[in-house]
Amino acid sequence: MHGYPCLSILSQLAFIIPTYNDQAARVSSFAPSPPLVTTNRPPPPHFSSQSLFGRPFSTTTTPTATTPTSSSLGSSQETNASPTSSIRIGIVGGGIGGVSVAHALAKRLATTTFATTTNNNNNNNIGKTEIVVLEGDVQPVEPGQPPLWTAATARNANSIVPGAAMHVFSRPAVLAQVLQDTAVDWYRQQCTTLQGMVQNHPTIQKWVSSAGGANGTETSAATMFDTPPPYFACHLLRCVGPSATHDERMSFVRYLTQFLYATVWLGPAAADERGRVMCQLAKANRNLYLESVNANATLQAAVGHSQGFLSIHRSLAKAQNAVTEAHEHGEEADLLEWEQAVEAEPRLANIPIKDNKLHVVRRGNDYTASCESFIHNWIQESSAMGVQYLSGKVDGLQVVDSTTTASGGSNGKKKYRVKATDGSVQEFDLLVLASGVTTPLLASLLGVGNYCPTYPLRGFSLTFFAPVDDTKKVKEQENLLHQPFSIDAMYCTSVSTRMARLAGFGEFVGYRDKSASVPSLGPTVLSRYARSVFPDALHVRTEAALACFRPASPDDLPLVGEVPSMPGLFLHTGHGTLGWTTGLATGDCLAQAVVDHLEGRSSQEGAFTLADESTIERSTLSPSRFIPRAKRKSLV
Ligand SMILES: Cc1cc2nc3c(=O)[nH]c(=O)nc-3n(C[C@H](O)[C@H](O)[C@H](O)COP(=O)(O)OP(=O)(O)OC[C@H]3O[C@@H](n4cnc5c(N)ncnc54)[C@H](O)[C@@H]3O)c2cc1C
């Protein structure tokens, strides 16, 4: 889910629905209680059955895993046998952030022969490196069975949208938007509550109608399309109030301070430049994605690959602006006539906006694909290259002296000691924090919270399924929706013959475990749009909307690189609403930084080389950009 909320307010929305063409008929009805089946996806990968860390390591039991193919990736048994001869790299977080780093690192290390050592006093070749990904949210399937990786956040992400990547939230207009949306959100919540009271109490209902009241129709389904729903909501009390822990509160304060700095102090020109960098990352990401799916037809089918995206605007000026912006960034974009848009995606005709006042931009080079299925595939691939995927939720981090000299004394080297909630412990020479929204809290455990001012941004996704019989009407390998599209900052996508999904909203409501009780318009609005665009999906339940949290960066750019005050600690997070759009590219950047560190070069100077051979200054993405310049110099 990406993009800005629409600001324009067009009043009349009733849309004269054109007759369906033949293609539209194929998706005409939905099952009353759809089974959660996808027709063409591989099963998610399993984690190691001996997966609780602290236990003796075993090589991964991922179904397609083979023994490590690369001589530079040592097996776990070898590690235990000779701990000093192997560099252990721990990656906390098995989402797109962690898996993309593991995959890129495994590929790079497979072809790297280290010239120097960072792990002992001799200049021997290291020869072996072990990569371990620790994931805290894997689901046990049945007793005795290895747990499944579920891709909690990534499963929401479908579209790779370089065209939208240029949009950055850290602008003065968005600051105003957050305030306005928060007020509108509050007002509409009150309306909804009052409506509920009216409907539930016949006496009040009688009073309202006798006084000429509309019985709650002001917020009823049809008219609610007249204005775009609010996108943002900020529940300040949840972010800094008593329900937040000290570290959670501090992470909000850091986020807000840096957001204001980027937005107000650095100003619009810097925001434009950040938009350019986002776009560059998105293009490189697209290259990596296409390289993978073009080389593997099974993967391409599994991810529900499709090309092209329709972005719908409520004013012509905004649509024209979107085209100009895309062209400025070298992306394809053209304005469609409404009839052309409906031909491209017949379901657009169902949107109940009055007077056809919608303007559609087609972006030919955006792609839609299931991030979840893609990441499952990269887990399988990297497992085959020797990466170990272990289950365990990290709740303790410590820097310790590694006592590896022959006399048992300290050799002056540091290690990262990682503790899981079950009390088990592992040690790593290098540590990558890629745990999504919890990364700032883990960074705080090591005293480097200032380097990670990211904050959770809640969003929602609602998935609905076509009945089994209807699948027969759909041509094989075609997605349920012809063309994915966005409207009012909600993304409607499909990556299989059976499903479609609406996703959107950006809410500051604190951290996940305490925010379930914070109300949102999101689920109601998503289900309202879903019922309109998919009129037969009457079973769509508001409660089925899934809340998910994205790691938002205060200046929109992801955090990629080593923490200068803590050598060997790397951050890979802050992808916000665009983790699928940029995460593969930044994962490769982080792998470059890690390899540089291992080879004794500076991981922070110079530029990253992206998959399309373009370069980005490392300082642009470095976590040290949040530290005042004067202090920064003394740390590097
Ligand atoms: C509704 C919605 C729709 C979206 N749609 C799109 C889209 O269309 N396109 C796009 O580009 N992006 C989209 N995104 C954004 C994208 O999903 C995120 O940017 C991306 O998932 C972030 O990846 P991550 O690996 O950094 O974090 P996550 O995906 O959250 O992964 C972090 C992982 O770390 C694990 N973890 C956390 N704490 C610990 C711990 N203490 N110990 C061990 N493990 C831990 C978590 O269990 C999790 O698996 C969407 C997001 C949402 C919410």
Side-chain angles (χ1 to χ4, degrees), residues 1-2 93 96-97 135-137 153 158-159 394 438 576-581:
M1 189 227 45
H2 343 253
I96 185 166
E135 167 57 42
D137 185 25
T153 313
N158 276 343
S159 34
V394 175
T438 69
T577 61
L578 293 168
W580 183 209
T581 303

Side-chain angles (χ1 to χ4, degrees), residues 75-337:
S75 79
S76 45
Q77 286 91 341
E78 285 165 335
T79 303
N80 282 343
S82 55
T84 54
S85 64
S86 150
I87 290 279
R88 300 197 76 222
I89 304 170
I91 300 173
V92 185
I96 185 166
V99 173
S100 63
V101 172
H103 191 273
L105 207 45
K107 271 176 87 175
R108 283 178 179 273
L109 292 179
T111 55
T112 302
T113 310
F114 297 113
T116 59
T117 173
T118 58
N119 205 33
N120 57 34
N121 294 324
N122 307 317
N123 273 352
N124 297 330
N125 281 355
I126 293 167
K128 290 195 187 75
T129 309
E130 200 184 346
I131 304 169
V132 181
V133 178
L134 310 167
E135 167 57 42
D137 185 25
V138 283
Q139 304 298 320
V141 202
E142 281 166 23
Q145 290 293 308
L148 285 176
W149 184 88
T150 51
T153 313
R155 75 178 161 209
N156 294 288
N158 276 343
S159 34
I160 304 174
V161 195
M166 65 194 72
H167 291 284
V168 291
F169 289 127
S170 42
R171 289 178 181 277
V174 179
L175 183 58
Q177 182 76 47
V178 173
L179 299 174
Q180 179 186 320
D181 280 359
T182 300
V184 173
D185 176 83
W186 180 85
Y187 170 74
R188 290 204 180 166
Q189 300 269 9
Q190 305 313 309
C191 288
T192 310
T193 311
L194 283 174
Q195 238 183 308
M197 278 170 61
V198 172
Q199 276 157 9
N200 292 336
H201 295 277
T203 322
I204 305 181
Q205 207 169 8
K206 223 192 269 171
W207 291 345
V208 172
S209 22
S210 67
N215 197 13
T217 48
E218 193 212 338
T219 52
S220 74
T223 55
M224 287 302 282
F225 289 97
D226 287 357
T227 56
Y231 175 84
F232 292 109
C234 182
H235 294 251
L236 211 53
L237 201 60
R238 293 298 184 135
C239 301
V240 292
S243 62
T245 64
H246 172 76
D247 284 348
E248 290 172 352
R249 207 171 293 134
M250 282 310 295
S251 74
F252 182 75
V253 172
R254 288 184 187 118
Y255 173 86
L256 189 63
T257 313
Q258 293 293 341
F259 175 76
L260 292 175
Y261 175 73
T263 304
V264 182
W265 185 258
L266 296 180
D272 287 347
E273 177 54 22
R274 292 196 296 277
R276 192 196 61 73
V277 173
M278 289 297 282
C279 219
Q280 190 187 350
L281 286 172
K283 284 179 193 201
N285 197 82
R286 181 173 58 193
N287 274 18
L288 283 170
Y289 163 78
L290 288 175
E291 202 178 280
S292 271
V293 292
N294 288 344
N296 182 343
T298 316
L299 175 62
Q300 188 169 125
V303 298
H305 170 91
S306 74
Q307 184 171 0
F309 190 90
L310 305 176
S311 92
I312 304 178
H313 303 261
R314 287 186 185 238
S315 85
L316 182 59
K318 278 190 174 294
Q320 284 168 335
N321 191 36
V323 172
T324 312
E325 257 191 333
H327 288 166
E328 276 169 14
H329 289 274
E331 289 295 319
E332 257 181 40
D334 52 314
L335 207 53
L336 297 188
E337 294 296 327

